[in-house]
Amino acid sequence: MSELSLVPPEGVLIGGKWQDSGETLEVMSPASGQRIARIARGQAEHVDAAVTAARAAFSGELGAWSTFTARARSEWLLAFAAAIEADRDVLAELECRDTGKPMTQAKGDIAACARYFRFYGGAADKLHGETIPYDGDYAVMTLREPFGVCAQIIPWNYPAQIFGRCVAAALAAGNTVVLKPAEDACLSVLRLCSLAVHAGLPEGALNVVPGLGREAGAALASHPGIDHLSFTGSPETGTHVTQAAAQHHVPVTMELGGKSPQIVFADADREAALAAVVKGIIQNAGQTCSAGSRLLVERSIHDEVVLALAARFEALSCDAGERDPDCGPLINARQRDKVMGLIDAAVHDGIRIAAKGRLAEGAPQGGHFVVPHLLTEIPEGHAVSREELFGPVLAVQAFEDEADAIRLANATDFGLCAGVWTKDGGRQLRLAKAIRSGQVFVNNYGAAGGVELPFGGVGRSGHGREKGFEGLRSYTRIKTVAIRHD
Ligand code: TXE
């Protein structure tokens, strides 16, 4: 595979200008293992300069962002959404080749990115504080204020979407941003940043320092000049980042993945449920924080469901994202080895591979492919039913009754999403209340992305909410003003 045309800048974006960072990192294609681009290897000094620029833009010493009213921010975000849509083919090509995801999905991700800017553009001038009835001679109000400089550390699985989710909300609320995208995939993000500059975003409002997590990421998380930090990634790195931010009492939002169950009762619309179960685990080759990676199925239909799913899994094929397969490669060799290691350990422990997908004929050599796996006969508490594999691997377990379904659903440290499939209205509500997670979907899974729907976890899945109005509010803080009068 050749190096990408239309490659984004190799530098760091600080104060509205792309600057040379000195060292660079190679960007490898997940499908072929070949180099497709280079990005900057930002260091602590770049992070420092980026935070200084973001602070100056927030305080009014640089650029014009601090003078943008809520309405002006709204107008800029809406115009930027249109610029993303106009560039969608190039962005989708970058996203597909950089992450390995199927082209149809890459296009959907770019559309979602634009949608975030449209949603938060529409919301920017509708965010306000409240008045509070208090003692007679007081007038009390809350002011909803931006934090200031928002640090954002994002992963490689949905670069464009998570860029939209974090950057649009933070800017809409009036903050400035320093973004550290993931070293494994960030080409779409770099192009989006160039488009933002081109679309007239004032200097310093958005600064970007690509680089390694342990270098640029660690420097950003521990920087004394940031006012808020949002992180999306692994629970382990989330702990490091939280500890670093706590040194300066910086509030954090943590989105740390999951082990989300899809729960299918015997009375469910089985066709609809199984289609969503398959999609929920193969989307982005299972590298999705909200992947439905566990299937809990009522004992009376377990065997039939496994048979039906096995047929679907065997029909799935893996290939390079450009060929728009069911399933693309994993992001890198480390992820592939991690997933294959967990599958091998499961088989060693007596877990059955009920079905596997296949590698498409002509799929590129050197790609990090893991074909979809359907695992059954899983002893309770086994790692494949507790740990996030981040690959196209579905772990199936049978449950006896409603209480057992709830018990199994809640039997992990994670709690991000759940799917419940039943026609019984009372049961739908009972499960929605009893499941420990940030989102519960009934007779659907994922609600087609749902930019408008608050999203975030409990337990090891993290805390804080992104998306929707909750996400916008989470980039603000409340100041209470109490005025005593005669
Ligand atoms: O994640 P990391 P990795 C999970 C998934 C996956 C595992 C490991 O289970 O198998 O994490 O993936 C930056 N200080 N998720 O290693 O390390 C890093 O540069 C500051 C779930 O890629 O969490 C990148 O930008 N930053 C998930 C980001 O953190 C640091 C998405 C995520 O990397 C840092 C991705 C440090 N010390 C992986 N070290 C989800 N929730 O969707 C790394 N980073």
Side-chain angles (χ1 to χ4, degrees):
M1 249 176 244
S2 58
E3 297 219 352
L4 283 174
S5 57
L6 301 164
V7 275
E10 284 177 14
V12 292
L13 177 65
I14 297 175
K17 294 181 185 57
W18 288 98
Q19 303 176 13
D20 188 1
S21 66
E23 280 184 85
T24 57
L25 298 167
E26 294 191 319
V27 179
M28 315 306 274
S29 156
S32 68
Q34 305 290 305
R35 189 179 78 200
I36 52 171
R38 287 178 189 278
I39 57 167
R41 180 175 178 172
Q43 302 290 340
E45 73 214 58
H46 304 113
V47 168
D48 198 37
V51 172
T52 302
R55 169 70 53 209
F58 185 73
S59 66
E61 291 153 40
L62 174 72
W65 189 241
S66 65
T67 67
F68 272 43
T69 59
R71 195 196 300 171
R73 293 198 298 273
S74 165
E75 282 164 6
W76 186 84
L77 288 161
L78 293 172
F80 186 48
I84 295 170
E85 281 155 0
D87 197 56
R88 61 180 172 259
D89 291 344
V90 175
L91 286 165
E93 167 86 13
L94 285 172
E95 194 75 331
C96 168
R97 291 187 58 185
D98 194 20
T99 63
K101 67 183 64 190
M103 182 55 94
T104 300
Q105 199 196 313
K107 287 182 177 167
D109 285 8
I110 301 307
C113 175
R115 172 81 187 118
Y116 277 111
F117 281 91
R118 224 168 255 300
F119 179 83
Y120 287 118
D125 56 356
K126 295 161 192 74
L127 185 68
H128 50 72
E130 295 177 330
T131 55
I132 299 171
Y134 197 55
D135 288 354
D137 50 356
Y138 281 87
V140 182
M141 71 187 100
T142 57
L143 304 181
R144 194 169 272 287
E145 298 182 332
F147 281 101
V149 177
C150 290
Q152 304 188 327
I153 300 177
I154 67 171
W156 41 263
N157 53 345
Y158 289 86
Q161 277 217 44
I162 299 178
F163 172 92
R165 183 174 94 188
C166 297
V167 173
L171 291 179
N175 299 282
T176 57
V177 173
V178 178
L179 179 73
K180 209 301 277 176
E183 54 273 43
D184 285 295
C186 66
L187 299 181
S188 63
V189 166
L190 300 180
R191 186 166 175 95
L192 283 160
C193 292
S194 284
L195 289 177
V197 172
H198 194 250
L201 182 65
E203 293 165 1
L206 171 63
N207 306 274
V208 180
V209 185
L212 297 176
R214 63 175 187 275
E215 295 175 353
L220 183 56
S222 61
H223 200 287
I226 61 173
D227 300 307
H228 180 273
L229 188 142
S230 72
F231 172 82
T232 305
S234 62
E236 297 71 25
T237 303
T239 302
H240 289 307
V241 164
T242 301
Q243 286 170 341
Q247 299 298 317
H248 306 290
H249 308 288
V250 169
V252 296
T253 298
M254 290 281 135
E255 202 271 82
L256 306 176
K259 190 71 186 178
S260 301
Q262 295 247 40
I263 306 164
V264 180
F265 285 88
D267 70 340
D269 174 342
R270 214 177 292 175
E271 275 305 298
L274 296 196
V277 164
V278 173
K279 181 165 182 283
I281 188 59
I282 64 158
Q283 178 178 317
N284 214 34
Q287 304 166 115
T288 304
C289 45
S290 54
S293 51
R294 292 189 289 152
L295 171 62
L296 308 182
V297 58
E298 194 160 4
R299 174 85 62 198
S300 60
I301 57 165
H302 173 273
D303 294 356
E304 288 168 36
V305 163
V306 168
L307 263 182
L309 275 178
R312 289 174 189 251
F313 267 63
E314 278 160 10
L316 296 170
S317 72
C318 285
D319 204 340
E322 296 95 301
R323 297 197 213 176
D324 214 21
D326 301 308
C327 202
L330 300 197
I331 190 73
N332 56 31
R334 188 164 56 91
Q335 282 295 129
R336 183 203 51 212
D337 294 348
K338 171 186 154 188
V339 174
M340 286 314 299
L342 285 160
I343 294 173
D344 291 345
V347 170
H348 181 263
D349 294 341
I351 288 168
R352 187 166 82 90
I353 300 176
K356 279 207 266 188
R358 63 192 165 75
L359 197 58
E361 218 172 287
Q365 303 286 313
H368 311 303
F369 294 102
V370 172
V371 297
H373 280 66
L374 181 66
L375 304 183
T376 60
E377 297 170 24
I378 298 166
E380 214 177 308
H382 192 278
V384 293
S385 64
R386 279 188 297 105
E387 294 302 324
E388 183 178 59
L389 270 72
F390 235 48
V393 182
L394 182 64
V396 186
Q397 291 172 282
F399 65 82
E400 307 303 333
D401 54 22
E402 194 176 305
D404 199 32
I406 293 168
R407 184 183 64 78
L408 284 173
N410 290 339
T412 77
D413 301 336
F414 291 104
L416 193 58
C417 298
V420 177
W421 297 85
T422 176
K423 291 186 180 131
D424 180 331
R427 180 186 278 158
Q428 293 171 357
L429 283 171
R430 288 191 296 275
L431 265 91
K433 289 180 182 173
I435 292 171
R436 189 175 154 272
S437 78
Q439 290 188 324
V440 177
F441 299 100
V442 178
N443 294 333
N444 77 96
Y445 193 71
V451 164
E452 302 83 350
L453 312 182
F455 175 71
V458 302
R460 209 168 149 211
S461 290
H463 47 85
R465 293 291 176 267
E466 308 240 32
K467 298 190 175 185
F469 250 88
E470 283 303 326
L472 184 57
R473 288 190 198 102
S474 77
Y475 282 102
T476 64
R477 60 185 161 205
I478 290 290
K479 179 187 284 171
T480 305
V481 179
I483 302 170
R484 190 162 182 196
H485 56 81
D486 296 332

